[in-house]
């Protein structure tokens, strides 16, 4: 897509849960920019060491070369002034500084494409994605397929118990869930199951 005249920059955000095709969509847009012979730079936060240090790889095995940066400030030091298109995957991990950097890059005339999780494992807005959505010129929300019932899924269900916001992983640790099947309080549910099992155990001893 190129809806501007001259060298005006803009910001695109692709957001949704895990497995919804955000990386695929980001890679598709960046590939098209490369085909158009634009200078492209792609970044991902160092926190995501899921598959590769120097590539973005989607769950469907689409790939594009990328550079790692620990946050937006480090990313800025790596941007070549001649770059025309800046792609960022897992933008929710780039820190608060990502919003200001995205705006400044767009103001310089660059096209900025950011992909990231809009909500966390409890269904809460995942900062700074809400702020990035607010400053964006164009937004796409992607949906996955609920692994329980097959409906469109907007949530990322954590399958392992942890109260940490960031637990990096993919298949086996997270799955996509629809609004109905999403169980944000997995820890509470597990505690309830544990205490129910313990109570049954005590009952069995009494008999
Ligand atoms: P994201 O970046 O949003 O985590 P990816 O672009 O890496 O997503 O992967 C999307 C691909 O994941 C889909 O094209 C499909 O092949 C695969 N996939 C695996 N599980 C699901 C699911 N529950 N819903 C949709 N796609 C899924
Ligand atoms: Zn469901």
């Amino acid at each position: 897509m190129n809806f501007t005249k001259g060298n005006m920059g803009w910001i695109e955000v692709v957001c949704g849960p895990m497995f919804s095709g955000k990386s695929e969509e980001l890679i598709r847009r960046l590939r098209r920019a490369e085909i158009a012979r634009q200078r492209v730079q792609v970044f991902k936060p160092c926190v995501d060491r899921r598959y590769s240090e120097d590539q973005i790889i989607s769950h469907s095995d689409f790939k594009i070369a990328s550079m790692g940066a620990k946050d937006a400030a480090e990313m800025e030091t790596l941007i070549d002034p001649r770059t025309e298109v800046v792609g960022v995957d897992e933008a929710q991990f780039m820190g608060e500084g990502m919003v200001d950097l995205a705006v400044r890059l767009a103001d310089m005339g660059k096209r900025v494409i950011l992909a990231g999780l809009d909500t966390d494992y409890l269904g809460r807005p995942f900062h700074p994605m809400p702020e990035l959505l607010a400053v964006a010129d164009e937004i796409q929300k992607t949906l996955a397929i609920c692994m329980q019932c097959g409906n469109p899924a907007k949530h990322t269900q954590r399958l392992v118990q942890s109260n940490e916001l960031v637990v990096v992983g993919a298949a086996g640790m997270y799955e996509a869930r629809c609004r109905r099947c999403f169980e944000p309080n997995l820890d509470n549910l597990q505690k309830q199951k544990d205490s129910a099992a313990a109570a049954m155990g005590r009952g069995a001893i009494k008999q």
Side-chain angles (χ1 to χ4, degrees), residues 118-133:
D118 50 358
T119 57
D120 67 11
Y121 74 107
L122 294 175
R124 302 171 302 192
F126 206 146
H127 293 280
M129 294 306 289
E131 289 78 5
L132 287 168
L133 288 164

Side-chain angles (χ1 to χ4, degrees), residues 158-178:
R158 186 178 281 177
L159 302 171
V160 292
Q161 280 191 64
S162 170
N163 293 325
E164 296 292 315
L165 177 61
V166 181
V167 175
V168 176
M173 294 179 78
Y174 293 95
E175 70 180 26
R177 294 265 183 107
C178 73

Side-chain angles (χ1 to χ4, degrees), residues 146 148-151 177-178 180-181:
C146 176
Q148 298 283 304
C149 74
N151 271 314
R177 294 265 183 107
C178 73
R180 246 189 343 206
C181 300

Side-chain angles (χ1 to χ4, degrees), residues 110-155:
K110 301 187 196 303
R111 177 182 175 196
V112 185
I113 316 172
L114 305 127
L117 290 170
D118 50 358
T119 57
D120 67 11
Y121 74 107
L122 294 175
R124 302 171 302 192
F126 206 146
H127 293 280
M129 294 306 289
E131 289 78 5
L132 287 168
L133 288 164
V135 299
D137 297 75
E138 195 253 352
I139 292 163
Q140 181 176 350
K141 188 142 174 164
T142 49
L143 294 172
I145 307 297
C146 176
M147 294 305 281
Q148 298 283 304
C149 74
N151 271 314
K154 74 175 294 291
H155 285 295

Side-chain angles (χ1 to χ4, degrees), residues 19 23 30 43 58 69-70 85 101 103 144-145 150 183 188 192:
F19 305 104
S23 302
L30 295 169
F43 296 92
S58 75
K70 77 174 186 330
V85 181
L101 178 60
V103 170
I145 307 297
E183 295 171 317
N188 291 348
Q192 281 167 19

